[in-house]
Amino acid sequence: MKKEIKTDYYDNFTCIADKCSFTCCQEWKIEVDDDTYIKWNRLSLTKQNNNYLDQYVKQKDGTRVIALNEQKQCPFLNEQKLCNLVLNLGDEVLSETCAIFPRQTHEFADRKEYSLVSCCPEVVDLINQQDKICFTKNMLDMDGDILLQIRTMMITIMQNQHFSISKSVMMLFYILLDIHQKESILKKDIDEYKDEAGLKELSEAIDNMQFLSLDTFEENNELFLDMTENYRKQEQYSSYLEPIAVIAENLSRDYDKHKMSVKLQEFEKQFSSYEKLFRNYLVVEIFSNSLMPESDLESIVVMFQWIAMEYAMMRHSIFLGWLLDEQEKLSYTVVRNYIVVISRMMGYDQEDICEYLEKSFENLIWEWGYLALIIGAEEGK
């Protein structure tokens, strides 16, 4: 029997349905698997309704999806924010996507891994409630192949509170690039990367580097506008993206550098109060998305880049949202909303991620300096 590994809050998740502040039935692709499509071909919503369910399905990017209505909502979502499919036909008629979301399962030769994706606000709340991300089995002590050992090392360093989040991300990318360029790697080599003296030396080397907050701001602003361009054209997540995208466009043309430096420092103080949440978030992302059943070493490096960029885009979106609110205190609602929005925007599969990175950058795998640029250093650290 295979080992099962879960984040220890996995079984605590419950969909709150109509009470959810950010429904999963709106503004994104809801896939319809083959078995569900065949089933829907024989079913109508009610006995009085002659429209079979498959009439609500369309092809998009080579995949069957539910055709959203003019409000960009699932046509089965009623005014009470409940699913008419479930109300009329029961849970068993749901597509696989709807039935399992936000749960995620990866099956390896020796184990199954379960996690919850942060595209759901209820999941973000659960992540925020954890003092530290733990697992139902002590995964950090598990033996396994070299890729599992690399991921375990990544989680260990990310959970080390001696290093700031930004520094942890930079250190991990440096280590991953170092591993990637080696001809072979053994478990004892991975253990050396966890050596306290070596980590301290790497940390001090990063401390001696100069990071300009305005350079990080400008690069992230351009990245944000690029990432959101198609979503804005399709008017997806408009209530969240459009107001802050307008701010980003104005800032891309001109801004007062001194005033922006002051604002960035003020924001950093507010953002630092959510350090536990984002450290937990990054640990969960590394656990659930850096290592897939089909992964090799290069794909781990690529996925870590994506995780780092996702974090940078969340932080920048939250910064723009904070500017928009013109409030001194950064609210948890703003933080959670943009975690969910950016998670949904950047929740591509690995093939699409590679395609985006290859089109947008000179090389699939970045130089260390580029990741350091978009991550930057926390003020005063």
Side-chain angles (χ1 to χ4, degrees):
M1 185 175 179
K2 291 184 178 181
K3 299 174 184 175
E4 292 189 345
I5 305 171
K6 304 176 184 179
T7 50
D8 62 353
Y9 57 87
Y10 179 89
D11 291 328
N12 295 337
F13 172 77
T14 302
C15 176
I16 58 174
D18 58 317
K19 298 180 181 64
C20 183
S21 61
F22 209 126
T23 178
C24 57
C25 306
Q26 182 170 334
E27 295 185 285
W28 68 334
K29 187 167 64 176
I30 306 170
E31 292 189 17
V32 179
D33 55 281
D34 291 343
D35 290 344
T36 300
Y37 183 72
I38 292 170
K39 186 188 301 182
W40 285 10
N41 186 257
R42 303 190 301 267
L43 288 173
S44 59
L45 192 58
T46 65
K47 292 180 180 179
Q48 295 76 31
N49 187 341
N50 292 320
N51 291 327
Y52 287 91
L53 299 183
D54 64 339
Q55 295 182 36
Y56 296 95
V57 177
K58 69 175 184 179
Q59 287 280 341
K60 184 175 183 180
D61 301 326
T63 304
R64 289 193 190 98
V65 299
I66 295 176
L68 303 182
N69 59 25
E70 291 182 358
Q71 290 74 43
K72 295 183 171 57
Q73 293 180 336
C74 175
F76 305 122
L77 187 69
N78 66 23
E79 293 180 358
Q80 289 74 43
K81 294 185 179 181
L82 295 172
C83 178
N84 279 326
L85 284 180
V86 175
L87 293 174
N88 289 285
L89 299 170
D91 290 346
E92 62 275 8
V93 79
L94 291 174
S95 70
E96 183 179 1
T97 296
C98 294
I100 67 173
F101 179 84
R103 300 167 185 86
Q104 179 174 276
T105 305
H106 291 146
E107 185 164 357
F108 297 82
D110 61 339
R111 67 191 186 278
K112 279 187 176 183
E113 297 183 350
Y114 301 86
S115 58
L116 301 167
V117 295
S118 54
C119 306
C120 167
E122 194 69 8
V123 172
V124 177
D125 287 346
L126 281 171
I127 293 173
N128 188 47
Q129 291 161 14
Q130 311 307 306
D131 289 331
K132 179 181 178 180
I133 299 299
C134 299
F135 304 90
T136 51
K137 290 188 179 296
N138 194 351
M139 187 196 62
L140 302 185
D141 291 336
M142 278 182 59
D143 292 325
D145 62 32
I146 198 67
L147 298 182
L148 176 61
Q149 295 301 319
I150 290 172
R151 189 188 63 179
T152 299
M153 174 269 297
M154 294 165 68
I155 290 173
T156 301
I157 293 175
M158 184 54 66
Q159 290 190 321
N160 189 335
Q161 296 188 29
H162 288 107
F163 311 119
S164 69
I165 290 177
S166 291
K167 185 181 286 185
S168 296
V169 173
M170 291 184 201
M171 291 169 66
L172 281 174
F173 193 53
Y174 179 89
I175 292 169
L176 288 174
L177 291 179
D178 192 54
I179 293 172
H180 185 252
Q181 59 88 32
K182 294 181 183 295
E183 290 185 4
S184 63
I185 189 81
L186 302 173
K187 182 181 182 299
K188 65 179 182 65
D189 302 317
I190 302 302
D191 290 337
E192 289 178 3
Y193 288 112
K194 293 186 282 187
D195 176 69
E196 288 187 15
L199 291 175
K200 183 180 179 183
E201 183 179 347
L202 179 54
S203 171
E204 290 173 349
I206 293 173
D207 285 338
N208 291 328
M209 297 177 184
Q210 185 178 29
F211 299 95
L212 300 178
S213 60
L214 291 180
D215 289 347
T216 295
F217 160 73
E218 289 178 0
E219 181 62 24
N220 284 335
N221 204 54
E222 292 306 310
L223 265 180
F224 169 79
L225 289 172
D226 180 65
M227 290 292 302
T228 57
E229 182 179 4
N230 286 336
Y231 288 92
R232 294 176 69 195
K233 286 179 180 177
Q234 297 170 16
E235 297 183 345
Q236 288 182 274
Y237 311 119
S238 295
S239 61
Y240 297 98
L241 292 181
E242 195 58 30
I244 63 173
V246 170
I247 293 176
E249 286 175 335
N250 290 335
L251 292 173
S252 70
R253 289 189 285 268
D254 185 44
Y255 66 90
D256 184 301
K257 291 188 176 182
H258 174 71
K259 289 182 179 178
M260 180 57 68
S261 294
V262 172
K263 280 292 183 184
L264 289 169
Q265 290 177 20
E266 291 175 358
F267 172 74
E268 190 59 50
K269 292 177 182 176
Q270 292 294 316
F271 189 73
S272 65
S273 64
Y274 296 99
E275 179 178 355
K276 184 192 73 170
L277 166 60
F278 280 100
R279 193 179 295 275
N280 285 347
Y281 156 79
L282 286 166
V283 167
V284 172
E285 286 293 296
I286 290 169
F287 170 68
S288 58
N289 291 322
S290 68
L291 180 59
M292 310 287 185
E294 67 278 5
S295 287
D296 56 17
L297 180 55
E298 180 173 86
S299 65
I300 290 179
V301 178
V302 169
M303 291 307 294
F304 184 74
Q305 288 177 174
W306 193 256
I307 291 167
M309 187 162 72
E310 188 177 47
Y311 168 67
M313 290 300 94
M314 287 177 181
R315 187 180 60 189
H316 191 71
S317 300
I318 293 165
F319 172 64
L320 295 172
W322 178 72
L323 290 179
L324 180 69
D325 278 357
E326 296 184 336
Q327 298 292 322
E328 181 180 347
K329 185 173 176 59
L330 175 61
S331 76
Y332 175 69
T333 300
V334 169
V335 172
R336 183 179 64 178
N337 285 346
Y338 284 111
I339 290 176
V340 173
V341 170
I342 300 300
S343 293
R344 293 188 184 187
M345 281 176 48
M346 297 183 66
Y348 300 155
D349 61 35
Q350 199 160 320
E351 184 178 345
D352 291 336
I353 288 171
C354 289
E355 182 180 347
Y356 176 87
L357 292 174
E358 287 174 334
K359 285 182 178 179
S360 302
F361 301 93
E362 290 184 6
N363 299 299
L364 177 61
I365 294 182
W366 299 335
E367 294 183 355
W368 183 86
Y370 184 73
L371 179 134
L373 172 64
I374 65 170
I375 293 299
E378 290 93 335
E379 294 291 333
K381 295 189 180 181

